[in-house]
Amino acid sequence: MAKERVEFFGSFIDPMTMDETIEKIKDIIKIKKITQHVVVNVAKLVMMQSDIELRDAVNSCGIINADGAGIVFGSKLLGIKIPERVAGIDLMERLMKTAAEAGYKIYFFGAEENIVKEVIRQVSFKYSRLKIAGYRNGYFKESDEQKIVEDIKKSGADILFVGIPSPKKEKFLNRNLNKMNVPFVMGVGGSFDVIAGKTKRAPLWMQKIGLEWFYRFLQEPGRMWKRYLVTNTKYLFMLTKKLGESILFSK
């Protein structure tokens, strides 16, 4: 039985566990229903407050998971039930294992050329039965877009992983989702960099206590400081304000 979506600061979220998400994706691929998946983390949620196009693109997706301890923790503070964090990279790994077992074909789109090639090398070694439909780096001009869309369509992929930053990724998919004819399409953020070994993922203990973002900041402080300082501060303000309103109106 499908769980009813919840709304959190203007973003819809499907309150599903990892296992429930996997089962739903398998059903989508089986019936070939074109579906876009997206994860919502603190940075994206904050961007959605001012970027209406991004908000519409996210909320139009068929599956929206909560990726980030901040989202799960904040939702609980406001009495919204989200069972667990479904991290994009963990879901991607689970799907590659599932694809290798079920015979699904995957297309990898995003990151630098050397990175996406290393991703293909790594996943082909780890999942020897995995069918690679194709791959392409994530750097392109507007004039290249339709050729990319056509190449993905011709590949016959069952799953498309897109490693392009937000909000460019969401807007690209919102424009082209139905043109590519891929049953399941998922934005995977910086997961290609992790798989290729360019960046490391936080130790499990840091993941469990919600400090994965801090570990990423330590690896790329010059690029990530503004994102985390600004978005985390704005998010704390949003939560504090909403909590204050809840307390005020409950009296």
Side-chain angles (χ1 to χ4, degrees):
M1 184 177 177
K3 293 183 178 180
E4 188 174 344
R5 283 185 159 178
V6 298
E7 185 176 346
F8 185 59
F9 288 110
S11 174
F12 295 141
I13 296 176
D14 293 305
M16 297 191 296
T17 64
M18 174 69 78
D19 288 341
E20 289 169 340
T21 302
I22 291 289
E23 289 306 310
K24 184 168 183 178
I25 293 167
K26 287 163 68 175
D27 288 341
I28 285 166
I29 294 172
K30 183 177 180 180
I31 64 175
K32 298 190 180 299
K33 179 184 178 183
I34 297 174
T35 302
Q36 181 182 344
H37 172 278
V38 70
V39 293
V40 174
N41 55 26
V42 167
K44 192 176 295 180
L45 187 71
V46 170
M47 281 191 282
M48 289 168 67
Q49 305 310 300
S50 56
D51 190 332
I52 304 303
E53 186 181 354
L54 174 61
R55 186 193 306 171
D56 290 344
V58 169
N59 285 338
S60 68
C61 292
I63 302 178
I64 307 172
N65 283 132
D67 180 359
I71 299 292
V72 176
F73 175 72
S75 66
K76 286 181 179 178
L77 280 179
L78 299 180
I80 300 170
K81 294 182 179 179
I82 297 174
E84 65 183 26
R85 176 192 181 201
V86 180
I89 189 167
D90 292 334
L91 179 58
M92 181 182 177
E93 288 282 4
R94 284 281 301 271
L95 283 174
M96 287 191 291
K97 182 177 183 295
T98 300
E101 294 168 351
Y104 303 149
K105 293 192 292 182
I106 302 180
Y107 194 106
F108 297 79
F109 173 36
E112 300 170 355
E113 182 72 13
N114 64 312
I115 294 295
V116 71
K117 283 183 175 179
E118 180 61 18
V119 168
I120 298 302
R121 192 183 76 81
Q122 292 284 350
V123 301
S124 296
F125 176 77
K126 187 173 183 179
Y127 306 103
S128 59
R129 294 166 57 195
L130 185 64
K131 297 179 180 179
I132 308 295
Y135 67 90
R136 193 203 187 281
N137 69 65
Y139 293 83
F140 59 94
K141 296 177 290 186
E142 187 177 335
S143 57
D144 298 326
E145 188 167 305
Q146 290 313 305
K147 185 181 185 306
I148 294 169
V149 169
E150 194 60 33
D151 287 345
I152 293 171
K153 181 179 179 180
K154 288 179 180 177
S155 74
D158 299 295
I159 297 173
L160 170 64
F161 291 137
V162 184
I164 298 174
S166 296
K168 183 179 179 181
K169 168 178 69 242
E170 285 80 12
K171 293 177 181 179
F172 171 88
L173 293 176
N174 199 41
R175 289 192 301 270
N176 298 299
L177 183 66
N178 292 316
K179 300 176 186 176
M180 296 183 292
N181 202 33
V182 179
F184 183 74
V185 180
M186 176 183 175
V188 296
S191 298
F192 286 3
D193 287 344
V194 176
I195 292 171
K198 181 181 178 181
T199 58
K200 293 182 179 180
R201 197 170 179 199
L204 191 59
W205 69 268
M206 293 188 81
Q207 295 178 40
K208 287 182 176 179
I209 63 173
L211 286 178
E212 192 164 9
W213 67 270
F214 184 64
Y215 189 84
R216 187 176 178 193
F217 163 75
L218 291 176
Q219 292 186 82
E220 300 180 276
R223 189 169 77 88
M224 304 305 294
W225 75 268
K226 187 174 182 180
R227 169 181 168 178
Y228 288 128
L229 176 64
V230 173
T231 58
N232 286 1
T233 301
K234 286 184 177 179
Y235 181 61
L236 283 172
F237 176 77
M238 287 160 56
L239 272 180
T240 303
K241 182 181 177 184
K242 183 66 74 172
L243 278 170
E245 290 173 353
S246 299
I247 293 170
L248 181 65
F249 287 116
S250 66
K251 291 182 178 180

